[in-house]
Amino acid sequence: MSTAVDVYLEVGARKTFACAVDWPGWCRSGKGEEAALAALAEYADRYRAVVAAAGHRLPAAAFRVVERVPGSGATDFGVPDAVAHCDVEPMTEALARRTADVVQASWDHFDRVAAAAPAELRKGPRGGGRDRDKIVEHVIGADLSYAKTLGIKAGKGPESDPAAVAEVRAAVLDVLRSTTDGQPVRPKGWPTRYAARRIAWHALDHAWEIEDKSER
């Protein structure tokens, strides 16, 4: 068995993302490939705790870059936007199950962090940044949009309805747990590998933002 963690690089004009192929949500960016890989390594322990909560074990291994894909303006803005070739490969039952577990754990972590955080978060040097409730609203709203890329119908404005949010999340997890040939579930939708990565990354990125901005 390989002792390396497969990673692909999404290379934009100003920013590069390093993303673990089979570990959804473990994506970090930097100004160039080396900086992105260093950031990915820096967040390993924080991500490992999420994987452990999902009932799995993140290997302590070196990175192996298996693919480079061109980024876009979204990449430079700070979003892992490109669908890599590895995202359209089939998923086994075991990998699909683990993927769904980690996405669930990412949501759980975000929910716990948000519930424990102060309403007003520390701002940047110029006073920018959203407070807790605006971040929560943003993440849930994005999840509803992401769900549609998997063929899941989500109503408008259920951000304040926990039952509706839970229903959408459960539907997403059902899709992610299914084995796939790598093709999107619906035309012009996202492959499930990419959807899982994007959803988990978004939840964890904002969870870690809240954690960091809760420190005084």
Side-chain angles (χ1 to χ4, degrees), residues 107-132:
W107 277 328
D108 291 345
H109 184 69
F110 176 81
D111 291 345
R112 284 194 300 271
V113 168
E120 184 176 345
L121 302 177
R122 179 170 51 81
K123 302 299 186 294
R126 294 181 181 148
R130 289 170 287 205
D131 285 322
R132 180 199 62 198

Side-chain angles (χ1 to χ4, degrees), residues 10-93:
E10 180 178 329
V11 183
R14 298 186 303 276
K15 186 172 290 187
T16 295
F17 268 94
C19 301
V21 172
D22 292 328
W23 295 97
W26 195 14
C27 302
R28 305 312 297 167
S29 65
K31 293 182 179 180
E33 295 184 5
E34 290 186 5
L37 289 167
L40 194 67
E42 181 182 348
Y43 275 77
D45 287 343
R46 295 176 90 165
Y47 184 73
R48 182 174 288 108
V50 175
V51 171
H56 299 281
R57 181 176 177 272
L58 183 71
F63 299 137
R64 178 176 61 191
V65 177
V66 295
E67 188 177 348
R68 286 174 173 82
V69 295
S72 63
T75 312
D76 291 330
F77 183 71
V79 176
D81 184 57
V83 175
H85 288 102
C86 57
D87 288 328
V88 295
E89 293 179 356
M91 288 183 70
T92 64
E93 182 178 351

Side-chain angles (χ1 to χ4, degrees), residues 3-215:
T3 58
V5 172
D6 288 348
V7 171
Y8 76 87
L9 299 173
E10 180 178 329
V11 183
R14 298 186 303 276
K15 186 172 290 187
T16 295
F17 268 94
C19 301
V21 172
D22 292 328
W23 295 97
W26 195 14
C27 302
R28 305 312 297 167
S29 65
K31 293 182 179 180
E33 295 184 5
E34 290 186 5
L37 289 167
L40 194 67
E42 181 182 348
Y43 275 77
D45 287 343
R46 295 176 90 165
Y47 184 73
R48 182 174 288 108
V50 175
V51 171
H56 299 281
R57 181 176 177 272
L58 183 71
F63 299 137
R64 178 176 61 191
V65 177
V66 295
E67 188 177 348
R68 286 174 173 82
V69 295
S72 63
T75 312
D76 291 330
F77 183 71
V79 176
D81 184 57
V83 175
H85 288 102
C86 57
D87 288 328
V88 295
E89 293 179 356
M91 288 183 70
T92 64
E93 182 178 351
L95 180 57
R97 184 171 58 251
R98 188 181 75 188
T99 295
D101 290 346
V102 173
V103 171
Q104 175 71 74
S106 299
W107 277 328
D108 291 345
H109 184 69
F110 176 81
D111 291 345
R112 284 194 300 271
V113 168
E120 184 176 345
L121 302 177
R122 179 170 51 81
K123 302 299 186 294
R126 294 181 181 148
R130 289 170 287 205
D131 285 322
R132 180 199 62 198
D133 293 348
K134 286 295 184 182
I135 294 176
V136 171
E137 181 180 337
H138 165 70
V139 169
I140 293 174
D143 284 339
L144 299 176
S145 178
Y146 297 159
K148 295 175 184 177
T149 72
L150 294 171
I152 297 165
K153 293 182 179 180
K156 294 183 179 180
E159 289 90 340
S160 60
D161 183 349
V165 172
E167 183 178 352
V168 172
R169 287 179 172 180
V172 169
L173 293 172
D174 283 343
V175 173
L176 298 182
R177 288 192 188 99
S178 302
T179 57
T180 174
D181 62 1
Q183 297 306 305
V185 176
R186 70 168 181 83
K188 298 183 180 180
W190 286 347
T192 54
R193 281 178 180 265
Y194 174 76
R197 182 180 305 114
R198 178 75 171 264
I199 293 167
W201 164 80
H202 196 236
L204 291 177
D205 189 58
H206 284 297
W208 294 333
E209 175 192 4
I210 293 173
E211 286 178 335
D212 293 344
K213 290 183 176 179
S214 296
E215 298 175 354

